[in-house]
Amino acid sequence: MSEARAAWLARPALRSLTGALALAASVAFAAEPSLAERLGDLVNVYRTEHGLPTLHVDATLSALATEHSAAMAKAGKMSHDDFPSRVRRSGRAMCVENVGWNYHTAQRQFDAWRQSSGHNLNMLDRRVDRLGIGVAGDYVTLMACGA
Protein backbone atom coordinates (compact mmCIF):
# COMPACT_ATOMS: atom_id res chain seq x y z
CA MET A 1 0.00 0.00 0.00
CA SER A 2 1.33 3.40 -0.91
CA GLU A 3 2.19 5.92 1.74
CA ALA A 4 -0.38 8.34 0.33
CA ARG A 5 -3.10 5.66 0.46
CA ALA A 6 -2.19 4.77 4.06
CA ALA A 7 -2.33 8.46 5.04
CA TRP A 8 -5.71 8.84 3.34
CA LEU A 9 -7.09 5.79 5.15
CA ALA A 10 -5.73 7.02 8.49
CA ARG A 11 -7.36 10.44 8.28
CA PRO A 12 -10.92 9.37 9.14
CA ALA A 13 -9.57 7.46 12.13
CA LEU A 14 -7.49 10.46 13.15
CA ARG A 15 -10.50 12.75 12.74
CA SER A 16 -12.60 10.30 14.70
CA LEU A 17 -10.00 10.11 17.48
CA THR A 18 -9.63 13.89 17.55
CA GLY A 19 -13.39 14.27 17.70
CA ALA A 20 -13.65 11.72 20.50
CA LEU A 21 -10.93 13.49 22.48
CA ALA A 22 -12.62 16.85 21.97
CA LEU A 23 -15.96 15.39 23.06
CA ALA A 24 -14.38 13.81 26.15
CA ALA A 25 -12.74 17.12 27.04
CA SER A 26 -16.01 19.02 26.62
CA VAL A 27 -17.91 16.46 28.69
CA ALA A 28 -15.27 16.66 31.44
CA PHE A 29 -15.46 20.46 31.32
CA ALA A 30 -19.26 20.40 31.37
CA ALA A 31 -19.17 18.05 34.36
CA GLU A 32 -17.04 20.56 36.29
CA PRO A 33 -19.41 22.41 38.62
CA SER A 34 -19.67 26.15 38.22
CA LEU A 35 -18.53 28.59 40.90
CA ALA A 36 -22.21 29.14 41.77
CA GLU A 37 -22.81 25.40 42.18
CA ARG A 38 -19.68 24.94 44.31
CA LEU A 39 -20.65 27.92 46.46
CA GLY A 40 -24.18 26.56 46.93
CA ASP A 41 -22.73 23.21 47.96
CA LEU A 42 -20.47 24.90 50.54
CA VAL A 43 -23.44 26.82 51.98
CA ASN A 44 -25.51 23.65 52.22
CA VAL A 45 -22.74 21.65 53.89
CA TYR A 46 -22.30 24.52 56.35
CA ARG A 47 -26.02 24.55 57.10
CA THR A 48 -26.12 20.80 57.75
CA GLU A 49 -23.11 21.13 60.06
CA HIS A 50 -25.27 23.54 62.06
CA GLY A 51 -28.31 21.25 62.12
CA LEU A 52 -30.20 23.16 59.43
CA PRO A 53 -31.86 21.79 56.30
CA THR A 54 -30.22 22.31 52.94
CA LEU A 55 -31.50 24.98 50.58
CA HIS A 56 -33.06 24.01 47.26
CA VAL A 57 -31.88 25.82 44.15
CA ASP A 58 -34.64 28.00 42.76
CA ALA A 59 -34.52 29.13 39.11
CA THR A 60 -36.22 32.46 39.83
CA LEU A 61 -33.80 33.28 42.63
CA SER A 62 -30.86 32.22 40.47
CA ALA A 63 -32.04 34.55 37.69
CA LEU A 64 -32.52 37.45 40.13
CA ALA A 65 -29.08 36.84 41.65
CA THR A 66 -27.45 36.68 38.22
CA GLU A 67 -29.24 39.86 37.14
CA HIS A 68 -27.97 41.66 40.26
CA SER A 69 -24.39 40.39 39.80
CA ALA A 70 -24.48 41.66 36.21
CA ALA A 71 -25.77 45.07 37.40
CA MET A 72 -22.95 45.28 39.95
CA ALA A 73 -20.39 44.31 37.30
CA LYS A 74 -21.74 46.95 34.92
CA ALA A 75 -21.63 49.62 37.68
CA GLY A 76 -18.23 48.41 38.88
CA LYS A 77 -19.33 48.33 42.53
CA MET A 78 -20.82 46.02 45.10
CA SER A 79 -24.23 46.96 46.40
CA HIS A 80 -27.60 45.77 47.60
CA ASP A 81 -29.30 48.32 45.34
CA ASP A 82 -32.92 47.42 44.53
CA PHE A 83 -32.98 44.52 47.02
CA PRO A 84 -36.65 45.20 47.92
CA SER A 85 -37.51 44.89 44.22
CA ARG A 86 -35.74 41.52 44.02
CA VAL A 87 -37.64 40.31 47.09
CA ARG A 88 -40.97 41.33 45.51
CA ARG A 89 -40.07 39.67 42.21
CA SER A 90 -38.99 36.48 44.01
CA GLY A 91 -42.59 35.74 44.95
CA ARG A 92 -41.39 34.73 48.42
CA ALA A 93 -42.35 36.27 51.78
CA MET A 94 -38.82 37.11 52.91
CA CYS A 95 -35.28 37.00 51.55
CA VAL A 96 -31.69 37.57 52.59
CA GLU A 97 -28.85 38.51 50.29
CA ASN A 98 -25.07 38.19 50.33
CA VAL A 99 -22.93 39.87 47.70
CA GLY A 100 -19.24 39.52 47.01
CA TRP A 101 -16.55 40.78 44.72
CA ASN A 102 -13.12 39.64 43.64
CA TYR A 103 -13.01 36.24 45.32
CA HIS A 104 -11.87 33.94 42.56
CA THR A 105 -12.87 30.64 44.13
CA ALA A 106 -16.04 29.44 45.81
CA GLN A 107 -14.09 28.56 48.94
CA ARG A 108 -12.63 32.06 49.29
CA GLN A 109 -16.03 33.69 48.79
CA PHE A 110 -17.65 31.32 51.28
CA ASP A 111 -14.89 31.93 53.85
CA ALA A 112 -15.33 35.70 53.51
CA TRP A 113 -19.08 35.40 54.10
CA ARG A 114 -18.57 33.04 57.01
CA GLN A 115 -16.17 35.50 58.66
CA SER A 116 -18.67 38.37 58.36
CA SER A 117 -21.30 38.20 61.11
CA GLY A 118 -24.16 39.54 58.94
CA HIS A 119 -23.37 37.34 55.95
CA ASN A 120 -22.88 34.35 58.23
CA LEU A 121 -26.31 34.91 59.81
CA ASN A 122 -27.85 35.04 56.34
CA MET A 123 -26.34 31.68 55.39
CA LEU A 124 -27.65 30.15 58.64
CA ASP A 125 -31.08 31.81 58.59
CA ARG A 126 -33.70 29.24 59.65
CA ARG A 127 -36.47 31.00 57.72
CA VAL A 128 -35.06 30.33 54.25
CA ASP A 129 -35.52 27.18 52.21
CA ARG A 130 -34.55 28.23 48.66
CA LEU A 131 -31.50 29.86 47.15
CA GLY A 132 -30.12 31.24 43.96
CA ILE A 133 -26.55 32.23 43.26
CA GLY A 134 -25.54 34.36 40.31
CA VAL A 135 -22.07 35.22 39.05
CA ALA A 136 -21.09 37.92 36.57
CA GLY A 137 -17.42 38.66 36.12
CA ASP A 138 -15.92 38.98 39.61
CA TYR A 139 -19.30 39.72 41.25
CA VAL A 140 -21.40 37.15 43.14
CA THR A 141 -24.89 37.38 44.61
CA LEU A 142 -26.50 34.80 46.88
CA MET A 143 -30.21 35.25 47.40
CA ALA A 144 -32.00 32.93 49.87
CA CYS A 145 -35.70 33.16 50.54
CA GLY A 146 -38.42 31.57 52.64
CA ALA A 147 -42.15 31.06 52.49
Side-chain angles (χ1 to χ4, degrees), residues 29-53:
F29 181 74
E32 179 71 23
S34 69
L35 186 138
E37 291 169 323
R38 291 190 307 271
L39 192 51
D41 289 344
L42 289 168
V43 169
N44 275 331
V45 166
Y46 189 54
R47 287 178 62 84
T48 59
E49 290 171 352
H50 286 82
L52 297 169

Side-chain angles (χ1 to χ4, degrees), residues 28-102:
F29 181 74
E32 179 71 23
S34 69
L35 186 138
E37 291 169 323
R38 291 190 307 271
L39 192 51
D41 289 344
L42 289 168
V43 169
N44 275 331
V45 166
Y46 189 54
R47 287 178 62 84
T48 59
E49 290 171 352
H50 286 82
L52 297 169
T54 59
L55 303 175
H56 302 284
V57 175
D58 182 286
T60 299
L61 298 181
S62 295
L64 290 168
T66 300
E67 176 185 290
H68 183 60
S69 291
M72 289 190 298
K74 183 177 179 182
K77 69 174 186 144
M78 266 194 332
S79 74
H80 292 285
D81 292 353
D82 299 323
F83 177 63
S85 171
R86 285 189 293 288
V87 174
R88 277 191 307 279
R89 292 187 296 144
S90 77
R92 309 292 285 182
M94 62 77 57
C95 299
V96 297
E97 180 177 79
N98 287 0
V99 296
W101 170 74
N102 210 26

